Amino acid sequence: MANTKNLKKAVKKQVNKEENDKKRKINEETAEVVEEKQTKKVKSKEPKPEVLKNVLIVSNLSLSVEEIILRGCMNEIAEEQNTKVKKITILIRELKEETESKKTDNKKHYPKKIQITGPKVGVVEFEKPLNTSFNDYKGAPVCECPIDLRYATIEDKRILITVRGSPITAEEAKEYLSEVGPIEHFEEVLQNKFICQFKDFESVREALTYNGADIHGAPAEISAKVLTK
């Protein structure tokens, strides 16, 4: 009988444990759902960036694609929508200089190697706004690479600049970038890290050519938002 009672106790204990585990799991899942809904609610309150319906972002471009090749494809879209291609700007993450510290008292940085990194994106500006029928061209092969298409947004004119070295103020960084092109918006997100929104895409292209350039004797990392989407 003692063994039977112990077995019953063990079974009851196991059942209670399983029930408690189920309750805990339900509570955890409920908490996760609530947190996810709250996160979505916060995100939904964030204003969506302005969409530029006369500008297309063409991504997944082969490194061999030049403006004249891309223009041929974009002219087809323009003809179908009774407009014309106004301007094409090719953006690519330019020469990136990696550095290593040499063991010296002054701890200066010396060049290690220079390499080209992707991706490559085309910014195509049209004379008139486009309707969404341009989506029919998604996946079209350009130099054997299927392209992707979307409307541009105002945020595609943004770059992120990070200075790896001595502290630099927002005013100094903005002054440096103002030599590249006209600025619409500028803010400091962290120490030595800034977001800069230019007025045009040509300035974004020009800014990318300064990736790895020295500011206050330290290399600056410059990347474009449109290249990271």
Side-chain angles (χ1 to χ4, degrees):
M1 289 293 291
N3 290 337
T4 304
K5 286 182 179 178
N6 290 336
L7 181 60
K8 286 181 178 179
K9 285 181 180 179
V11 171
K12 188 176 181 180
K13 187 176 181 181
Q14 179 63 27
V15 170
N16 289 338
K17 182 178 182 301
E18 290 176 356
E19 288 179 351
N20 290 334
D21 289 342
K22 285 182 181 178
K23 288 179 181 179
R24 185 168 61 251
K25 187 176 181 181
I26 290 171
N27 290 336
E28 289 175 353
E29 289 176 350
T30 302
E32 287 177 1
V33 170
V34 171
E35 184 179 356
E36 184 179 352
K37 286 182 178 179
Q38 288 176 342
T39 303
K40 286 182 179 179
K41 191 175 180 180
V42 171
K43 287 185 177 179
S44 64
K45 289 181 179 180
E46 295 178 358
K48 293 183 178 180
E50 179 187 348
V51 176
L52 309 175
K53 292 192 174 182
N54 67 317
V55 184
L56 290 184
I57 301 297
V58 188
S59 56
N60 198 40
L61 288 177
S62 166
L63 292 177
S64 62
V65 173
E66 300 297 337
E67 180 181 332
I68 190 171
I69 297 174
L70 184 57
R71 184 175 289 273
C73 179
M74 295 299 105
N75 280 338
E76 289 186 32
I77 295 176
E79 288 174 10
E80 286 187 3
Q81 302 213 24
N82 194 29
T83 185
K84 292 182 180 179
V85 175
K86 184 179 179 181
K87 186 186 299 181
I88 293 180
T89 306
I90 302 290
L91 302 177
I92 184 171
R93 194 168 296 147
E94 293 286 348
L95 292 175
K96 180 180 180 181
E97 185 177 10
E98 296 186 359
T99 61
E100 62 179 359
S101 294
K102 207 168 184 179
K103 292 182 179 179
T104 57
D105 294 335
N106 54 16
K107 295 183 180 180
K108 287 184 178 180
H109 288 76
Y110 294 85
K112 183 179 180 182
K113 63 179 179 178
I114 293 178
Q115 61 182 10
I116 293 180
T117 58
K120 192 172 189 178
V121 166
V123 181
V124 186
E125 300 177 51
F126 296 84
E127 292 183 354
K128 299 178 183 178
L130 304 178
N131 61 49
T132 56
S133 65
F134 70 80
N135 285 312
D136 295 339
Y137 286 81
K138 282 186 177 181
V142 177
C143 289
E144 301 182 354
C145 282
I147 61 173
D148 193 18
L149 296 166
R150 66 171 175 84
Y151 284 129
T153 71
I154 199 73
E155 289 186 352
D156 289 319
K157 297 179 182 180
R158 291 185 177 183
I159 66 159
L160 177 67
I161 177 170
T162 305
V163 181
R164 305 288 185 186
S166 57
I168 180 172
T169 66
E171 291 75 15
E172 290 171 328
K174 185 175 181 180
E175 183 180 357
Y176 177 83
L177 290 172
S178 65
E179 297 178 6
V180 175
I183 295 173
E184 279 189 337
H185 174 75
F186 191 90
E187 64 177 293
E188 183 175 12
V189 290
L190 289 171
Q191 184 178 8
N192 281 30
K193 182 174 287 189
F194 311 90
I195 289 176
C196 177
Q197 181 175 305
F198 291 103
K199 287 187 177 180
D200 52 62
F201 290 101
E202 291 89 344
S203 298
V204 176
R205 179 177 60 187
E206 180 68 14
L208 288 171
T209 65
Y210 288 91
N211 184 35
D214 280 357
I215 299 181
H216 286 195
E221 292 181 10
I222 298 176
S223 60
K225 187 176 180 65
V226 67
L227 291 174
T228 58
K229 286 190 176 181

